[in-house]
Short mmCIF file of all heavy atoms in Angstrom, two decimals:
data_model
loop_
_atom_site.label_atom_id
_atom_site.label_comp_id
_atom_site.label_asym_id
_atom_site.label_seq_id
_atom_site.Cartn_x
_atom_site.Cartn_y
_atom_site.Cartn_z
N ILE A 202 107.39 123.03 93.08
CA ILE A 202 107.83 123.65 91.83
C ILE A 202 107.58 125.15 91.80
O ILE A 202 108.16 125.85 90.98
CB ILE A 202 107.17 122.98 90.60
CG1 ILE A 202 105.65 123.13 90.64
CG2 ILE A 202 107.59 121.54 90.49
CD1 ILE A 202 104.96 122.56 89.42
N MET A 203 106.73 125.62 92.70
CA MET A 203 106.43 127.05 92.70
C MET A 203 107.69 127.92 92.80
O MET A 203 107.83 128.88 92.05
CB MET A 203 105.43 127.34 93.83
CG MET A 203 104.78 128.69 93.77
SD MET A 203 105.63 129.84 94.80
CE MET A 203 105.43 129.09 96.40
N PRO A 204 108.63 127.58 93.72
CA PRO A 204 109.83 128.42 93.78
C PRO A 204 110.65 128.43 92.49
O PRO A 204 111.29 129.43 92.17
CB PRO A 204 110.63 127.82 94.94
CG PRO A 204 110.06 126.48 95.18
CD PRO A 204 108.63 126.55 94.77
N ILE A 205 110.61 127.32 91.74
CA ILE A 205 111.33 127.29 90.46
C ILE A 205 110.70 128.31 89.52
O ILE A 205 111.38 129.11 88.89
CB ILE A 205 111.27 125.89 89.82
CG1 ILE A 205 111.87 124.85 90.76
CG2 ILE A 205 111.95 125.88 88.47
CD1 ILE A 205 111.78 123.43 90.22
N VAL A 206 109.36 128.25 89.45
CA VAL A 206 108.66 129.18 88.57
C VAL A 206 108.94 130.62 89.01
O VAL A 206 109.25 131.49 88.18
CB VAL A 206 107.13 128.89 88.59
CG1 VAL A 206 106.40 129.91 87.75
CG2 VAL A 206 106.85 127.49 88.10
N THR A 207 108.85 130.87 90.30
CA THR A 207 109.07 132.23 90.79
C THR A 207 110.49 132.70 90.50
O THR A 207 110.69 133.80 89.98
CB THR A 207 108.82 132.29 92.31
OG1 THR A 207 107.55 131.76 92.58
CG2 THR A 207 108.90 133.72 92.81
N ALA A 208 111.46 131.87 90.81
CA ALA A 208 112.85 132.30 90.67
C ALA A 208 113.18 132.62 89.22
O ALA A 208 113.74 133.68 88.91
CB ALA A 208 113.78 131.22 91.21
N ILE A 209 112.81 131.71 88.30
CA ILE A 209 113.17 131.96 86.90
C ILE A 209 112.34 133.11 86.33
O ILE A 209 112.87 133.97 85.63
CB ILE A 209 113.02 130.68 86.06
CG1 ILE A 209 113.94 129.61 86.64
CG2 ILE A 209 113.37 130.95 84.61
CD1 ILE A 209 113.88 128.31 85.92
N SER A 210 111.04 133.14 86.67
CA SER A 210 110.22 134.25 86.17
C SER A 210 110.79 135.58 86.66
O SER A 210 110.82 136.56 85.92
CB SER A 210 108.78 134.12 86.67
OG SER A 210 108.25 132.90 86.30
N ARG A 211 111.21 135.60 87.91
CA ARG A 211 111.74 136.84 88.44
C ARG A 211 112.97 137.28 87.64
O ARG A 211 113.09 138.45 87.25
CB ARG A 211 112.12 136.66 89.92
CG ARG A 211 112.43 137.95 90.64
CD ARG A 211 112.93 137.65 92.03
NE ARG A 211 114.19 136.93 91.95
CZ ARG A 211 115.37 137.47 92.24
NH1 ARG A 211 115.43 138.69 92.68
NH2 ARG A 211 116.48 136.77 92.12
N ASP A 212 113.87 136.33 87.38
CA ASP A 212 115.05 136.67 86.57
C ASP A 212 114.63 137.22 85.21
O ASP A 212 115.20 138.18 84.71
CB ASP A 212 115.93 135.43 86.36
CG ASP A 212 116.63 135.01 87.64
OD1 ASP A 212 116.57 135.80 88.62
OD2 ASP A 212 117.23 133.93 87.67
N VAL A 213 113.64 136.57 84.62
CA VAL A 213 113.19 136.98 83.29
C VAL A 213 112.54 138.37 83.34
O VAL A 213 112.79 139.23 82.50
CB VAL A 213 112.18 135.94 82.73
CG1 VAL A 213 111.54 136.45 81.45
CG2 VAL A 213 112.86 134.62 82.49
N ILE A 214 111.73 138.60 84.37
CA ILE A 214 111.01 139.87 84.48
C ILE A 214 112.00 141.01 84.76
O ILE A 214 111.89 142.10 84.17
CB ILE A 214 109.95 139.79 85.60
CG1 ILE A 214 108.85 138.81 85.20
CG2 ILE A 214 109.35 141.15 85.88
CD1 ILE A 214 107.99 138.36 86.35
N VAL A 215 112.97 140.74 85.61
CA VAL A 215 113.96 141.78 85.92
C VAL A 215 114.72 142.18 84.65
O VAL A 215 115.12 143.33 84.50
CB VAL A 215 114.93 141.28 87.01
CG1 VAL A 215 116.16 142.14 87.10
CG2 VAL A 215 114.22 141.25 88.36
N ALA A 216 114.90 141.20 83.74
CA ALA A 216 115.69 141.47 82.55
C ALA A 216 114.94 142.31 81.51
O ALA A 216 115.54 142.76 80.54
CB ALA A 216 116.16 140.16 81.92
N VAL A 217 113.65 142.50 81.68
CA VAL A 217 112.90 143.32 80.72
C VAL A 217 113.41 144.76 80.83
O VAL A 217 113.46 145.33 81.91
CB VAL A 217 111.39 143.29 81.01
CG1 VAL A 217 110.66 144.26 80.09
CG2 VAL A 217 110.85 141.90 80.84
N PRO A 218 113.83 145.34 79.71
CA PRO A 218 114.42 146.68 79.77
C PRO A 218 113.46 147.68 80.42
O PRO A 218 112.27 147.68 80.14
CB PRO A 218 114.65 147.04 78.31
CG PRO A 218 114.63 145.76 77.57
CD PRO A 218 113.79 144.81 78.35
N LYS A 219 114.03 148.53 81.25
CA LYS A 219 113.23 149.53 81.95
C LYS A 219 112.56 150.48 80.95
O LYS A 219 111.48 151.01 81.22
CB LYS A 219 114.16 150.33 82.87
CG LYS A 219 113.50 150.86 84.12
CD LYS A 219 114.56 151.49 85.04
CE LYS A 219 114.92 152.84 84.52
NZ LYS A 219 116.22 153.35 84.62
N GLU A 220 113.19 150.65 79.78
CA GLU A 220 112.65 151.55 78.78
C GLU A 220 111.24 151.16 78.36
O GLU A 220 110.44 152.03 77.98
CB GLU A 220 113.54 151.59 77.53
CG GLU A 220 114.85 152.32 77.71
CD GLU A 220 115.97 151.35 78.02
OE1 GLU A 220 115.67 150.27 78.59
OE2 GLU A 220 117.12 151.66 77.72
N LEU A 221 110.96 149.85 78.36
CA LEU A 221 109.63 149.42 77.93
C LEU A 221 108.57 149.87 78.92
O LEU A 221 107.52 150.38 78.55
CB LEU A 221 109.58 147.90 77.77
CG LEU A 221 110.41 147.34 76.62
CD1 LEU A 221 110.21 145.83 76.51
CD2 LEU A 221 110.02 148.00 75.32
N THR A 222 108.86 149.69 80.19
CA THR A 222 107.95 150.14 81.23
C THR A 222 107.73 151.64 81.11
O THR A 222 106.59 152.12 81.13
CB THR A 222 108.55 149.84 82.61
OG1 THR A 222 108.93 148.47 82.64
CG2 THR A 222 107.55 150.12 83.70
N GLU A 223 108.81 152.37 80.98
CA GLU A 223 108.70 153.82 80.93
C GLU A 223 107.98 154.27 79.67
O GLU A 223 107.19 155.23 79.71
CB GLU A 223 110.09 154.45 81.01
CG GLU A 223 110.75 154.14 82.34
CD GLU A 223 112.07 154.87 82.53
OE1 GLU A 223 112.66 155.29 81.52
OE2 GLU A 223 112.49 155.00 83.69
N GLY A 224 108.25 153.58 78.56
CA GLY A 224 107.56 153.92 77.33
C GLY A 224 106.06 153.79 77.50
O GLY A 224 105.29 154.66 77.07
N ALA A 225 105.64 152.69 78.12
CA ALA A 225 104.20 152.47 78.31
C ALA A 225 103.63 153.50 79.28
O ALA A 225 102.57 154.08 79.03
CB ALA A 225 103.96 151.05 78.83
N LEU A 226 104.33 153.74 80.37
CA LEU A 226 103.83 154.71 81.35
C LEU A 226 103.68 156.09 80.72
O LEU A 226 102.71 156.81 80.96
CB LEU A 226 104.77 154.80 82.55
CG LEU A 226 104.70 153.63 83.53
CD1 LEU A 226 105.77 153.78 84.59
CD2 LEU A 226 103.33 153.55 84.17
N SER A 227 104.66 156.44 79.89
CA SER A 227 104.62 157.79 79.31
C SER A 227 103.46 157.94 78.32
O SER A 227 103.11 159.04 77.93
CB SER A 227 105.95 158.12 78.63
OG SER A 227 106.06 157.41 77.43
N LEU A 228 102.89 156.80 77.91
CA LEU A 228 101.71 156.88 77.04
C LEU A 228 100.42 156.94 77.85
O LEU A 228 99.34 157.02 77.28
CB LEU A 228 101.66 155.67 76.12
CG LEU A 228 102.72 155.60 75.04
CD1 LEU A 228 102.73 154.24 74.39
CD2 LEU A 228 102.48 156.67 73.99
N GLY A 229 100.55 156.86 79.17
CA GLY A 229 99.36 156.94 80.01
C GLY A 229 98.85 155.59 80.49
O GLY A 229 97.72 155.49 80.94
N ALA A 230 99.68 154.56 80.40
CA ALA A 230 99.25 153.24 80.86
C ALA A 230 99.23 153.18 82.38
O ALA A 230 100.04 153.84 83.04
CB ALA A 230 100.18 152.16 80.32
N THR A 231 98.30 152.40 82.92
CA THR A 231 98.32 152.16 84.37
C THR A 231 99.32 151.05 84.65
O THR A 231 99.78 150.38 83.73
CB THR A 231 96.94 151.70 84.87
OG1 THR A 231 96.61 150.47 84.22
CG2 THR A 231 95.88 152.73 84.57
N ARG A 232 99.62 150.90 85.93
CA ARG A 232 100.59 149.87 86.30
C ARG A 232 100.13 148.48 85.86
O ARG A 232 100.90 147.68 85.34
CB ARG A 232 100.83 149.90 87.80
CG ARG A 232 101.84 148.92 88.26
CD ARG A 232 102.65 149.44 89.38
NE ARG A 232 101.82 149.73 90.55
CZ ARG A 232 102.32 150.09 91.72
NH1 ARG A 232 103.62 150.23 91.86
NH2 ARG A 232 101.54 150.33 92.73
N GLY A 233 98.85 148.22 86.06
CA GLY A 233 98.31 146.93 85.63
C GLY A 233 98.45 146.73 84.13
O GLY A 233 98.81 145.65 83.67
N GLN A 234 98.20 147.79 83.37
CA GLN A 234 98.33 147.69 81.92
C GLN A 234 99.77 147.44 81.51
O GLN A 234 100.05 146.65 80.61
CB GLN A 234 97.82 148.96 81.24
CG GLN A 234 96.31 149.06 81.26
CD GLN A 234 95.83 150.39 80.70
OE1 GLN A 234 96.44 151.43 80.95
NE2 GLN A 234 94.74 150.36 79.96
N VAL A 235 100.70 148.14 82.17
CA VAL A 235 102.10 147.94 81.84
C VAL A 235 102.46 146.47 82.02
O VAL A 235 103.07 145.85 81.14
CB VAL A 235 103.02 148.81 82.74
CG1 VAL A 235 104.48 148.48 82.49
CG2 VAL A 235 102.76 150.27 82.49
N ILE A 236 102.05 145.90 83.15
CA ILE A 236 102.42 144.52 83.42
C ILE A 236 101.74 143.56 82.45
O ILE A 236 102.37 142.68 81.88
CB ILE A 236 102.07 144.16 84.88
CG1 ILE A 236 102.94 144.99 85.84
CG2 ILE A 236 102.30 142.67 85.13
CD1 ILE A 236 102.58 144.83 87.29
N ARG A 237 100.43 143.77 82.23
CA ARG A 237 99.70 142.81 81.41
C ARG A 237 99.99 142.95 79.93
O ARG A 237 100.10 141.97 79.22
CB ARG A 237 98.20 142.96 81.65
CG ARG A 237 97.69 142.04 82.74
CD ARG A 237 96.21 142.21 82.86
NE ARG A 237 95.89 143.61 82.60
CZ ARG A 237 94.69 144.15 82.76
NH1 ARG A 237 93.71 143.42 83.17
NH2 ARG A 237 94.49 145.43 82.53
N LYS A 238 100.10 144.18 79.46
CA LYS A 238 100.20 144.38 78.01
C LYS A 238 101.65 144.44 77.52
O LYS A 238 101.91 144.21 76.35
CB LYS A 238 99.49 145.68 77.61
CG LYS A 238 98.04 145.75 78.04
CD LYS A 238 97.17 144.96 77.09
CE LYS A 238 95.77 144.69 77.62
NZ LYS A 238 95.02 145.90 77.98
N VAL A 239 102.57 144.80 78.38
CA VAL A 239 103.94 144.98 77.92
C VAL A 239 104.90 143.97 78.55
O VAL A 239 105.63 143.27 77.86
CB VAL A 239 104.43 146.42 78.19
CG1 VAL A 239 105.87 146.59 77.76
CG2 VAL A 239 103.54 147.42 77.47
N ILE A 240 104.89 143.90 79.89
CA ILE A 240 105.87 143.04 80.55
C ILE A 240 105.61 141.56 80.28
O ILE A 240 106.50 140.84 79.81
CB ILE A 240 105.85 143.27 82.08
CG1 ILE A 240 105.95 144.75 82.42
CG2 ILE A 240 106.93 142.45 82.77
CD1 ILE A 240 107.27 145.35 82.17
N LEU A 241 104.39 141.12 80.58
CA LEU A 241 104.10 139.69 80.44
C LEU A 241 104.34 139.17 79.02
O LEU A 241 104.98 138.13 78.85
CB LEU A 241 102.69 139.37 80.92
CG LEU A 241 102.58 139.14 82.43
CD1 LEU A 241 101.15 138.81 82.82
CD2 LEU A 241 103.51 138.03 82.89
#
Side-chain angles (χ1 to χ4, degrees):
Chain A
I202 61 177
M203 193 264 298
I205 301 177
V206 176
T207 307
I209 300 180
S210 304
R211 191 186 64 107
D212 289 351
V213 171
I214 293 164
V215 165
V217 174
K219 210 173 78 215
E220 288 96 333
L221 291 184
T222 309
E223 296 187 339
L226 284 175
S227 74
L228 291 168
T231 61
R232 182 144 62 174
Q234 286 175 321
V235 174
I236 295 174
R237 268 182 325 187
K238 304 281 165 57
V239 178
I240 309 288
L241 276 181

